[in-house]
Amino acid sequence: MKHSYMKSMVVACLATLSFIGFNATATAATNYKVVKGDSLWKLGKRYSVTIDDIKKLNNRQEDMIYIGETLAIPSKTKVLAAETTEPSTAAPANTAKPEAKPEAKPAEQETPAVSISANEKDLLARLVEAEAKGESYEGKVGVATVVLNRVDSPKFPDTVTGVIKQVVGKAYAFSPVQNGSINKPASEDSKKAVEQALTRKDRLDDSIYFYNPKTATDNWIRSRAVIKTIDHHVFAK
């Protein structure tokens, strides 16, 4: 009886070791109290998560957050369990081993430095299309970069939507919002330009303005320090 019991215990242990040989993912959350100047976009950037992740964890649909409220911020920690190994079998004597082939490395993809919601990506891409239609790809990236630089600047609203729909005086800050051309769908180039701008590799020295010197009627904008000219647009700060 004792011998049979020991065999059962060994089988159970082996089954348990085989089960924990897989990787598991545990999801944890950090409680954060909202302070003045916070936004979902800034919190996503700080904790390296998406706006949609934060909204889903807190069961909300809107992007607005309020000073003093407590949000759960998701943080994913990958737990690597112990792996079982099987004894290797020695190769027969005088038998040549086949030459190992080098493993192909997967293509690396650029990871965005910041994350914004799908709706804001679409809105930004439509603004880029309206402002830089006919411009080069670099020019489109420049327009998207200016919007993201404004989000980071204390002089402007702290969300992509807020920056694009900002009202200055009696008009919108961006003419495509004023005349409705922002409602037209974005091209694939404009969508890719937004993704490129989100990597934040070239911030155009934190430029927060762009204008066409041939059509600009505001002399004040011409007084700003010029950083770079791309196609028909001057980028300034």
Side-chain angles (χ1 to χ4, degrees), residues 187-206:
S187 64
E188 288 302 314
D189 260 7
S190 293
K191 294 177 182 178
K192 291 178 182 178
V194 168
E195 296 290 348
Q196 178 67 33
L198 287 171
T199 65
R200 310 303 270 152
K201 283 189 173 182
D202 181 5
R203 298 184 60 158
L204 291 176
D205 196 20
D206 294 328

Side-chain angles (χ1 to χ4, degrees), residues 145-163:
T145 297
V146 164
V147 173
L148 296 178
N149 287 346
R150 286 192 177 192
V151 172
D152 287 341
S153 171
K155 299 178 181 179
F156 298 91
D158 58 6
T159 66
V160 170
T161 301
V163 166

Side-chain angles (χ1 to χ4, degrees), residues 105-111:
K105 295 183 178 180
E108 294 184 0
Q109 295 182 346
E110 289 185 328
T111 303

Side-chain angles (χ1 to χ4, degrees), residues 76-229:
K76 295 179 180 178
T77 304
K78 193 171 184 182
V79 180
L80 182 63
E83 295 183 358
T84 58
T85 56
E86 295 182 1
S88 58
T89 304
N94 301 324
T95 301
K97 293 181 180 180
E99 185 177 349
K101 295 182 179 180
E103 295 182 1
K105 295 183 178 180
E108 294 184 0
Q109 295 182 346
E110 289 185 328
T111 303
V114 295
S115 177
I116 61 177
S117 69
N119 288 338
E120 289 197 313
K121 275 187 184 181
D122 177 63
L123 180 64
L124 181 52
R126 285 188 277 116
L127 178 71
V128 169
E129 180 71 13
E131 288 281 11
K133 187 174 183 179
E135 302 285 305
S136 65
Y137 177 75
E138 183 186 5
K140 290 180 171 63
V141 175
V143 170
T145 297
V146 164
V147 173
L148 296 178
N149 287 346
R150 286 192 177 192
V151 172
D152 287 341
S153 171
K155 299 178 181 179
F156 298 91
D158 58 6
T159 66
V160 170
T161 301
V163 166
I164 293 176
K165 295 186 177 181
Q166 183 182 18
V167 176
V168 180
K170 296 182 179 180
Y172 286 102
F174 295 97
S175 58
V177 182
Q178 188 76 25
N179 60 34
S181 58
I182 194 174
N183 296 319
K184 296 180 180 179
S187 64
E188 288 302 314
D189 260 7
S190 293
K191 294 177 182 178
K192 291 178 182 178
V194 168
E195 296 290 348
Q196 178 67 33
L198 287 171
T199 65
R200 310 303 270 152
K201 283 189 173 182
D202 181 5
R203 298 184 60 158
L204 291 176
D205 196 20
D206 294 328
S207 295
I208 51 177
Y209 303 104
F210 67 88
Y211 63 94
N212 186 332
K214 291 184 178 180
T215 59
T217 57
D218 186 354
N219 289 328
W220 177 86
I221 194 67
R222 297 177 187 274
S223 68
R224 312 308 298 173
V226 174
I227 302 303
K228 191 174 185 178
T229 299

